[in-house]
Amino acid sequence: MSSIINRPGLLAPRTQLLLLCMLALLATLLCTLWVATTPYLGLDLVKTEEAPGVRVQSLQPNSPNISRISAGTVLVAVWRDGVRVPLHNDTLIEDPDLLDYASYNRFLREQSLLWQALADPPLVVETDQGARIELQVDQPWWSPAMTYALLHGLYGWVALLVALGIWVYNPQRTETRLFAASGVALFATTLTLASYGGRELALPGNVIAALMSVNHLAVLMVCATLSVLFWVYPIRLGRAPVPMIGVLLGLAAWVADQLQFTPGPQYTIYSTILGGFVCGIIIMGLQWRATRGHPLERAALKWCFLSIFVGSLLMIALIMLPAAVGGTRAVPLVISLASVLVLYLGLAAGLHRYRLFHVERWWFRTWHWFFGGVLVLALDALLVFVIGLAGGMALLLSLAIAGWVYFPLRQWLMGLLGRSDQRPLDTTLRQLVNNLFAADSEARIRSAWPDLLRRMFNPLQCCAVHMPVAGDIAVSEDGARLYLRALTPADADLMLEHPDRGGRLFNPEDLRVARLLRDLTDKAVEAVRARELGAEAERQRIARDLHDDVGGRILSLLRNAPDERQEGLARNALQSLREASKALDHSASSRLSDGLEDWQMECRARCGEMRVPLQWLQNVNAEGADLSVRHNINVRRILSEALTNAFRHAAPSRITVRVGGDASGLTLEVVNDGVGEMAIERDVLAGRGLNHMRTRAEELGGRFSFELDEQQARLFADIPLGQV
């Protein structure tokens, strides 16, 4: 009985990832558009230490004020409709939450006045010498503020991509939700900082206040989610809703910040973050204790601890701690935020090595697909840009490059990204028929079953699990997994995750196809079983006939043999009949040690009859090893034929037999030194019993070789001891 329990409207992981990244890209574009449209003076302004105001350190090459002001000029105020707006040392502060609330509120008011002056050029500035200068405003396509925004936004994108790439494949797990929330929050933190931190002089005060509010909420959520992450991963420490408590405490700190309950953000924001870091260390210690005796979980914890602890410690030491104690940051934010790379890229490396958050290596395949698409878009943009700037011969050259190089490369990339390995049903059924009905045993059909499912659905993962629901076939509630009951009790149930390499979810049509494939495979197994039962019955009948009829006649010949030669022939025939009867029973076996002893005795008897010394060299670890009837017979006859050839076609003074190996396989080597004067028999030797020996070795899945020179004849066989 089959069932499907997925809810409609769910999106495949890749689709979710693409939509979320498009939303993040939209937010990034809005941020860059805002930065690109802010008024631009083209001045590199820095604060002055000796007096209030700002100093013109240098002018940008595209500045509209190159001829109006010179480097080194100190500006102390801006005039707006007869109102003087003073410039302070904190006017250019990169992160305004380093101020106390009183200074912060004054900063916002002054930023609004400065913005109004910038928005209605020309801007009138006052120097420390009392002179007034009119400055022009421009909006170029690129500015230092844009560079600042993109560099800081890059850190957020790293965190976002790693976190979302983990979440979309395990959206129901608490630990992946917490980690995804930290990545989204860090993206919001860097994006808001990118919007106001690189301003040249001023932005609207209400815009800065809104961006700062989002920034504070986001940074508190980063702290809250990462601090409580180890409460649930890799082992849940208890039933207490610690993750929820951590998030609520972060929200409470944010409300206190918005209402300005304390003198400044150093108490509501940065001290809270330091406290969260300490709590996170305590929880890590509890998790370390809980993972004793769990080597897999302990290894994952070590890597997570290394990445998150080192990355968080760098963030705390370089960014949070100076603000919490009321000091200044010694390292610029653009460098300090590199701790984000340590944290999130470290975890990405752990995904490959330790399967963190239970995400398999196909997480990296998804990102190969994603960034391949980005590469195609980048190539498109580059081509448009090149043609847009080209003219005359340059245009012809760029079109030639596009036609002969770019478009073939683009088509190859698009084909690679859009290629679907899912076989059509008719092709898969044809493969099913070829696989199943060409199989000569039930075991081969069962071993081909997982590969058939991979060919049909092309999942990111196909693994053995315990069937979690009733029925033979079922789809998980989120549509991400397809479960199939084992073909036989001796096999394992199977789970397929994310069809078409994560490109879609399982649907009712997949369930119908899986049921069809399962029914056909079951029918093939039944047919093979019936065929094997019929063959077994026929083998038993033949064995009985050989024993009762042929065996009785040979036994009569043995008892009535007129001489020893006829008696020996009859005895050999009876031995061969017994071996043939045993070979009909595929389940029969004997100990390898017994077989070695029998082979040695037989070889010694043959050499003794011919008065040729035998050197038997044996180095076989036969402990606990079994030998099938077919192996026993074929090895015995290979050795017998080797001795027969030596006696018939050579005059050896000694024969050496070397036997080596263990329970997995044997190596046989037979060497005689009697061919010095009979090398002319080479072609005769090669055409006789060697073909039979080679056939017997290959029948067992082994290899056979024969070498003949003027000194010796050497026969070698490598025989695996698996079931035939």
Side-chain angles (χ1 to χ4, degrees):
M1 180 179 180
S2 61
S3 61
I4 182 168
I5 51 177
N6 68 307
R7 297 172 181 169
L10 295 177
L11 299 176
R14 283 187 179 179
T15 306
Q16 294 182 53
L17 185 61
L18 187 59
L19 291 176
L20 292 171
C21 288
M22 289 177 65
L23 291 176
L25 181 61
L26 177 61
T28 305
L29 291 176
L30 291 176
C31 168
T32 54
L33 181 62
W34 163 256
V35 173
T37 55
T38 54
Y40 174 71
L41 298 172
L43 308 179
D44 292 329
L45 301 174
V46 295
K47 68 178 182 178
T48 59
E49 300 294 343
E50 61 277 2
V54 297
R55 181 168 54 86
V56 180
Q57 185 177 35
S58 62
L59 283 81
Q60 293 292 323
N62 60 345
S63 172
N65 299 297
I66 291 180
S67 61
R68 298 173 182 271
I69 196 170
S70 60
T73 303
V74 177
L75 308 179
V76 296
V78 171
W79 287 87
R80 164 71 178 172
D81 294 334
V83 177
R84 184 179 185 273
V85 183
L87 300 177
H88 300 279
N89 288 340
D90 57 17
T91 299
L92 302 177
I93 189 170
E94 181 180 16
D95 200 358
D97 56 13
L98 295 177
L99 305 173
D100 57 56
Y101 286 130
S103 300
Y104 174 69
N105 294 332
R106 185 260 307 160
F107 167 82
L108 293 180
R109 290 192 298 269
E110 292 179 350
Q111 284 285 301
S112 294
L113 293 174
L114 292 172
W115 173 260
Q116 293 172 11
L118 284 169
D120 187 18
L123 178 71
V124 180
V125 297
E126 179 185 335
T127 70
D128 59 347
Q129 303 298 322
R132 296 186 183 183
I133 303 174
E134 289 188 356
L135 299 179
Q136 294 298 319
V137 174
D138 194 8
Q139 287 184 347
W141 71 276
W142 196 267
S143 66
M146 182 71 74
T147 303
Y148 180 97
L150 294 180
L151 285 177
H152 287 75
L154 177 63
Y155 292 118
W157 270 98
V158 170
L160 183 74
L161 293 179
V162 172
L164 290 183
I166 291 173
W167 174 78
V168 293
Y169 287 105
N170 279 311
Q172 305 302 324
R173 301 180 68 91
T174 304
E175 59 267 31
T176 58
R177 290 177 175 178
L178 289 171
F179 190 64
S182 76
V184 173
L186 192 49
F187 174 75
T189 301
T190 58
L191 198 62
T192 51
L193 176 62
S195 301
Y196 65 77
R199 69 194 181 283
E200 185 180 37
L201 180 62
L203 292 175
N206 59 342
V207 172
I208 294 180
L211 292 173
M212 291 289 295
S213 177
V214 174
N215 181 275
H216 285 178
L217 177 61
V219 75
L220 286 169
M221 289 302 100
V222 172
C223 170
T225 52
L226 291 181
S227 295
V228 300
L229 175 63
F230 288 104
W231 183 264
V232 295
Y233 183 80
I235 296 176
R236 191 176 185 92
L237 297 179
R239 295 185 178 182
V242 172
M244 181 63 68
I245 293 173
V247 172
L248 291 177
L249 289 175
L251 289 173
W254 177 73
V255 171
D257 171 69
Q258 297 303 296
L259 298 178
Q260 299 186 358
F261 283 160
T262 63
Q266 69 182 94
Y267 301 102
T268 53
I269 302 298
Y270 293 106
S271 295
T272 301
I273 292 173
L274 286 178
F277 180 73
V278 173
C279 291
I281 296 298
I282 295 173
I283 294 174
M284 284 183 182
L286 297 175
Q287 187 67 246
W288 184 269
R289 182 178 180 181
T291 53
R292 288 183 303 181
H294 299 81
L296 216 61
E297 288 76 8
R298 175 63 65 85
L301 178 63
K302 286 179 180 178
W303 193 270
C304 284
F305 181 86
L306 180 65
S307 300
I308 293 181
F309 177 77
V310 172
S312 300
L313 183 61
L314 288 174
M315 262 196 271
I316 292 293
L318 299 177
I319 302 175
M320 307 300 173
L321 186 59
V325 299
T328 58
R329 299 186 180 113
V331 181
L333 272 176
V334 70
I335 298 177
S336 302
L337 284 173
S339 54
V340 173
L341 302 180
V342 175
L343 197 160
Y344 287 91
L345 292 182
L347 285 175
L351 291 173
H352 180 78
R353 186 171 182 178
Y354 294 110
R355 298 179 57 215
L356 303 181
F357 302 111
H358 306 281
V359 179
E360 301 297 334
R361 293 187 179 183
W362 35 258
W363 182 83
F364 291 93
R365 297 180 189 170
T366 297
W367 286 117
H368 291 162
W369 163 81
F370 179 82
F371 286 112
V374 172
L375 178 60
V376 171
L377 295 178
L379 287 173
D380 286 348
L382 179 62
L383 181 66
V384 172
F385 179 75
V386 170
I387 291 182
L389 295 182
M393 292 301 295
L395 176 60
L396 294 177
L397 179 61
S398 63
L399 289 176
I401 294 174
W404 294 332
V405 179
Y406 167 71
F407 283 116
L409 175 63
R410 186 182 188 276
Q411 287 300 108
W412 175 78
L413 276 173
M414 292 298 293
L416 185 65
L417 296 172
R419 181 183 60 196
S420 174
D421 290 334
Q422 182 183 20
R423 301 287 184 90
L425 181 59
D426 55 349
T427 305
T428 305
L429 289 176
R430 188 179 302 113
Q431 184 67 35
L432 172 68
V433 171
N434 292 338
N435 287 346
L436 299 186
F437 293 97
D440 56 1
S441 68
E442 177 186 340
R444 293 194 178 182
I445 295 178
R446 288 157 50 192
S447 64
W449 171 239
D451 183 62
L452 181 70
L453 295 173
R454 293 189 188 97
R455 289 174 179 270
M456 182 64 211
F457 298 109
N458 194 17
L460 285 176
Q461 180 176 224
C462 177
C463 59
V465 297
H466 177 70
M467 191 80 168
V469 294
D472 290 338
I473 302 176
V475 174
S476 64
E477 185 177 358
D478 57 6
R481 289 167 290 280
L482 174 67
Y483 297 97
L484 300 105
R485 185 77 64 186
L487 295 176
T488 67
D491 299 324
D493 301 332
L494 294 178
M495 177 189 71
L496 280 66
E497 274 194 289
H498 305 297
D500 286 353
R501 295 192 176 184
R504 63 181 182 88
L505 299 175
F506 287 105
N507 54 45
E509 179 64 18
D510 294 323
L511 194 68
R512 186 188 69 81
V513 171
R515 165 54 60 192
L516 175 63
L517 297 178
R518 173 63 185 260
D519 289 344
L520 290 174
T521 303
D522 286 340
K523 292 293 189 296
V525 170
E526 292 175 3
V528 170
R529 286 177 178 173
R531 187 173 64 197
E532 289 179 347
L533 289 175
E536 180 62 25
E538 183 64 16
R539 285 193 295 269
Q540 294 296 332
R541 185 191 64 78
I542 293 173
R544 288 194 301 270
D545 290 346
L546 289 174
H547 180 273
D548 297 341
D549 187 11
V550 180
R553 295 177 184 274
I554 295 178
L555 188 60
S556 297
L557 289 175
L558 178 61
R559 292 175 177 173
N560 299 316
D563 52 43
E564 290 184 1
R565 180 175 178 278
Q566 296 297 328
E567 181 181 351
L569 291 174
R571 194 178 303 279
N572 290 337
L574 185 60
Q575 176 65 24
S576 298
L577 178 62
R578 289 173 178 171
E579 291 177 351
S581 298
K582 289 181 180 179
L584 292 173
D585 185 2
H586 285 182
S587 62
S589 64
S590 60
R591 293 185 300 178
L592 176 58
S593 57
D594 293 341
L596 290 168
E597 186 176 344
D598 292 342
W599 301 336
Q600 181 179 2
M601 291 178 60
E602 183 173 333
C603 288
R604 290 197 179 281
R606 292 283 308 278
C607 289
E609 293 175 359
M610 302 301 296
R611 294 183 177 83
V612 176
L614 172 66
Q615 184 180 22
W616 181 274
L617 304 176
Q618 179 176 310
N619 183 19
V620 180
N621 181 13
E623 183 177 355
D626 291 329
L627 195 67
S628 70
V629 174
R630 174 54 57 193
H631 279 84
N632 197 339
I633 293 174
N634 280 19
V635 172
R636 174 182 283 113
R637 291 181 180 173
I638 288 173
L639 291 173
S640 177
E641 186 66 28
L643 295 180
T644 298
N645 275 354
F647 298 147
R648 182 176 299 172
H649 302 289
S653 61
R654 177 187 297 273
I655 292 179
T656 301
V657 178
R658 296 185 181 90
V659 184
D662 51 27
S664 63
L666 294 176
T667 58
L668 306 176
E669 185 181 28
V670 181
V671 179
N672 77 79
D673 58 356
V675 299
E677 299 178 358
M678 304 182 66
I680 56 173
E681 295 281 344
R682 182 188 306 270
D683 295 336
V684 178
L685 286 170
R688 296 192 174 178
L690 297 181
N691 286 335
H692 298 293
M693 288 186 279
R694 178 176 289 103
T695 300
R696 292 188 181 278
E698 292 175 352
E699 181 183 321
L700 302 178
R703 296 179 294 108
F704 177 86
S705 63
F706 177 74
E707 299 175 0
L708 178 64
D709 55 32
E710 296 181 355
Q711 302 298 323
Q712 65 179 13
R714 177 181 176 272
L715 176 150
F716 178 82
D718 186 358
I719 309 294
L721 293 183
Q723 293 294 325
V724 180

